[in-house]
Amino acid sequence: MAKVDLARRAEIGREKRARTRAQIVEAGATLLGGRTNEAITVDAVVEAAGVAKGTFYYHFKSIGELAAAVGAGLSQSFDELLTPARLERPDPVDRLSFAFIKFLEKASADTDWARLVIQSSQSPIEFGMGVRANLKADIEEAIAQGRVSVRDVELAADIAIGIWLEVTRGIIERGPRPGTTGQALDATLRALGLSQR
């Protein structure tokens, strides 16, 4: 009788679940592009992904949860795209400002992307963990340099993300307006208590 490697079998199962989840997220991204959650059905997603309905519900409780996962993935991939240019900047406030502006510019240029990223913010598990980690690293460095008066890193990240989310919601509802990006960045830096050196 052949010996079964239980650790390897478990690893194969995890890999298969990850691939299946990625298929569902990819199908969701395709279907959600330009449409609201209400316009998408679980049946349409499982058909596009080539999986059973039960498989969808194994990974997601609802279309809203799927939309959050799609938005988080879009946010994370955009952050990864920005990272090389962001890291070229030695100043943490400059890095934070660069990312904030680029995310708002992306939201202004692509409101479907912005809507999905906003939806992902409703799920703390899904929403931009890498984005938040990069933001917190920049804030921690700025705090260590005495550049900002908000001393709580989590609070400072909440302030920056909160302003970005609300400004992005405004862009989705009213459309982009001239000067919004610069004004939102100025408000964020003031809210963090930026001190010039």
Side-chain angles (χ1 to χ4, degrees):
M1 182 149 125
K3 225 177 187 182
V4 176
D5 183 349
L6 295 178
R8 178 66 184 133
R9 182 179 280 181
E11 181 182 340
I12 290 169
R14 282 189 300 274
E15 290 169 356
K16 184 173 190 236
R17 285 189 296 280
R19 281 192 309 273
T20 301
R21 186 177 196 283
Q23 275 177 254
I24 296 169
V25 170
E26 185 176 326
T30 300
L31 293 171
L32 285 163
R35 292 186 247 175
T36 62
N37 292 1
E38 295 77 28
I40 306 299
T41 64
V42 171
D43 289 332
V45 173
V46 297
E47 183 179 324
V51 299
K53 195 179 245 185
T55 303
F56 174 89
Y57 285 112
Y58 175 81
H59 293 280
F60 302 100
K61 293 177 185 161
S62 65
I63 293 292
E65 193 174 290
L66 171 62
V70 169
L74 293 172
S75 173
Q76 187 62 40
S77 64
F78 188 67
D79 186 56
E80 289 168 3
L81 183 69
L82 292 180
T83 295
R86 189 180 68 74
L87 293 178
E88 287 177 1
R89 292 159 168 71
D91 178 47
V93 174
D94 189 31
R95 287 193 302 269
L96 181 155
S97 299
F98 172 78
F100 188 91
I101 287 169
K102 291 300 181 187
F103 267 82
L104 275 182
E105 287 174 349
K106 176 69 172 170
S108 294
D110 186 349
T111 55
D112 290 337
W113 176 88
R115 183 177 48 78
L116 289 167
V117 172
I118 291 288
Q119 285 178 313
S120 74
S121 73
Q122 304 305 309
S123 173
I125 294 169
E126 296 288 353
F127 183 62
M129 297 313 249
V131 174
R132 187 176 182 89
N134 289 338
L135 175 62
K136 284 172 49 180
D138 292 339
I139 290 169
E140 283 176 344
E141 190 176 335
I143 289 171
Q145 293 175 2
R147 303 278 306 284
V148 294
S149 62
V150 176
R151 309 308 287 169
D152 182 326
V153 174
E154 291 294 339
L155 175 60
D158 289 343
I159 290 168
I161 290 170
I163 292 172
W164 184 87
L165 289 171
E166 288 306 312
V167 171
T168 299
R169 280 188 183 97
I171 289 168
I172 292 167
E173 292 170 10
R174 298 180 298 275
R177 296 180 180 190
T180 297
T181 301
Q183 290 176 50
L185 175 61
D186 290 345
T188 302
L189 296 177
R190 280 194 312 274
L192 296 176
L194 178 70
S195 62
Q196 297 296 330
R197 276 191 147 177

